Amino acid sequence: MDEILGDAAFRSRDLIGRHYEVPYAGATSFLRTRYSRDLKDIDVAVLGVPLDLATSNRPGTRFGPRGVRQASAQIAWGPQHPWTFDPRDRLAIVDYGDVLFDYGYIDRMLAETERMAREIIDSGTSLLAIGGDHFISLPLLRAHAKRHGKLSLVHFDAHSDTWADDLYNHGTMFYHAMNEGLIDPARSIQIGLRTYNPQTHGFTILDNAAVIGNGAAWVAEQVRRVVGDGKAYLTFDIDCLDPSFAPGTGTPVCGGLSTFQAFDILVRLDWVNFIGMDIVEVAPIYDVGEITSLAGAAIAMHYLSLRAKNLPHRSNVKIRREA
Ligand SMILES: [Mn+2]
């Protein structure tokens, strides 16, 4: 599209394709996609989950969805290296807005996040969620498992988040997800961990030394071995990255992956049958120069490129609708 259309976040009528906007101005949605709750003909809906009430350390991820949306304007101009296409030319993507809940009623957050996720998933649209602390993965997995059955988890993180505890927080939700039968540890893999948890619960763990020592191709091979061609959910905690690359997060752990090392793994996972994704734990208040929010946006865009890789280019197909 050659036409310049400001504020495409609410003015665009194109479901496929993109408008050019200067990165520093205009309304910010995720990748300048249009805000809409109409899911007809939509491939992917982006949902913000602004929660930081389940954190064990620094709060601030309630600003994550806003931070990632704003940073995404910097990469909304076209394909993301090394991809040679823009996922928005192949997928119809909308920004669905944020889950709404009162911070005084955290129990309602669980129900409301699951309800909105199911609203999207049950329409046949896939979900890309922006957190929020990592606890949001629990209601999101509940929604996905209801439609897709027990899932493989492909989990990038510094932490296992499988602590065996009755508590519900951002360090225990995958233990509960496992016990609820939402994910199968035997078909799940955790990448980049560098905090010791003696209980693996049967998850395959590639700790950070193994990931960096053996390289991206080896990691991708391990994912293929463990996950196979079953349905998988991708959850990416930004603290998988080293704090020098992602300072804007609540529980940073030194000695992590570089942004490139994470990208290099992600782009090799194009054969995985991902049915949904979340990018979590971005806390813009601790960020420097937006690098953490930008990394979060870029990781989400890599995921969209993975989904779009084998789809035809559809930018010449204009689907118009009334505003
Ligand atoms: Mn973590």
PDB file of all heavy atoms in Angstrom, residues 157-159 237 239, ligand 1:
ATOM      1  N   ASP A 157      12.652 -19.182  29.220  1.00  0.00           N
ATOM      2  CA  ASP A 157      12.587 -18.536  30.538  1.00  0.00           C
ATOM      3  C   ASP A 157      13.926 -18.674  31.244  1.00  0.00           C
ATOM      4  O   ASP A 157      14.737 -19.528  30.892  1.00  0.00           O
ATOM      5  CB  ASP A 157      11.489 -19.231  31.373  1.00  0.00           C
ATOM      6  CG  ASP A 157      10.873 -18.333  32.442  1.00  0.00           C
ATOM      7  OD1 ASP A 157      11.609 -17.549  33.071  1.00  0.00           O
ATOM      8  OD2 ASP A 157       9.662 -18.437  32.659  1.00  0.00           O
ATOM      9  N   ALA A 158      14.146 -17.835  32.251  1.00  0.00           N
ATOM     10  CA  ALA A 158      15.257 -18.056  33.178  1.00  0.00           C
ATOM     11  C   ALA A 158      14.829 -18.987  34.306  1.00  0.00           C
ATOM     12  O   ALA A 158      15.668 -19.538  35.012  1.00  0.00           O
ATOM     13  CB  ALA A 158      15.731 -16.728  33.767  1.00  0.00           C
ATOM     14  N   HIS A 159      13.511 -19.124  34.485  1.00  0.00           N
ATOM     15  CA  HIS A 159      12.957 -19.856  35.631  1.00  0.00           C
ATOM     16  C   HIS A 159      12.075 -21.004  35.141  1.00  0.00           C
ATOM     17  O   HIS A 159      11.464 -20.914  34.066  1.00  0.00           O
ATOM     18  CB  HIS A 159      12.089 -18.923  36.480  1.00  0.00           C
ATOM     19  CG  HIS A 159      12.716 -17.588  36.792  1.00  0.00           C
ATOM     20  ND1 HIS A 159      12.573 -16.494  35.963  1.00  0.00           N
ATOM     21  CD2 HIS A 159      13.486 -17.185  37.836  1.00  0.00           C
ATOM     22  CE1 HIS A 159      13.230 -15.462  36.491  1.00  0.00           C
ATOM     23  NE2 HIS A 159      13.798 -15.847  37.616  1.00  0.00           N
ATOM     24  N   ASP A 237       9.068 -15.911  28.274  1.00  0.00           N
ATOM     25  CA  ASP A 237       9.333 -14.948  29.348  1.00  0.00           C
ATOM     26  C   ASP A 237      10.549 -14.137  28.926  1.00  0.00           C
ATOM     27  O   ASP A 237      11.632 -14.691  28.680  1.00  0.00           O
ATOM     28  CB  ASP A 237       9.610 -15.716  30.648  1.00  0.00           C
ATOM     29  CG  ASP A 237       9.784 -14.798  31.850  1.00  0.00           C
ATOM     30  OD1 ASP A 237      10.297 -13.669  31.666  1.00  0.00           O
ATOM     31  OD2 ASP A 237       9.429 -15.215  32.961  1.00  0.00           O
ATOM     32  N   ASP A 239      12.579 -12.584  30.504  1.00  0.00           N
ATOM     33  CA  ASP A 239      13.765 -12.733  31.353  1.00  0.00           C
ATOM     34  C   ASP A 239      14.629 -13.920  30.953  1.00  0.00           C
ATOM     35  O   ASP A 239      15.693 -14.154  31.549  1.00  0.00           O
ATOM     36  CB  ASP A 239      13.419 -12.741  32.848  1.00  0.00           C
ATOM     37  CG  ASP A 239      12.689 -13.978  33.324  1.00  0.00           C
ATOM     38  OD1 ASP A 239      12.848 -15.052  32.737  1.00  0.00           O
ATOM     39  OD2 ASP A 239      11.962 -13.858  34.336  1.00  0.00           O
TER      40      ASP A 239
HETATM   41 MN    MN B   1      11.025 -16.000  34.394  1.00  0.00          MN
END
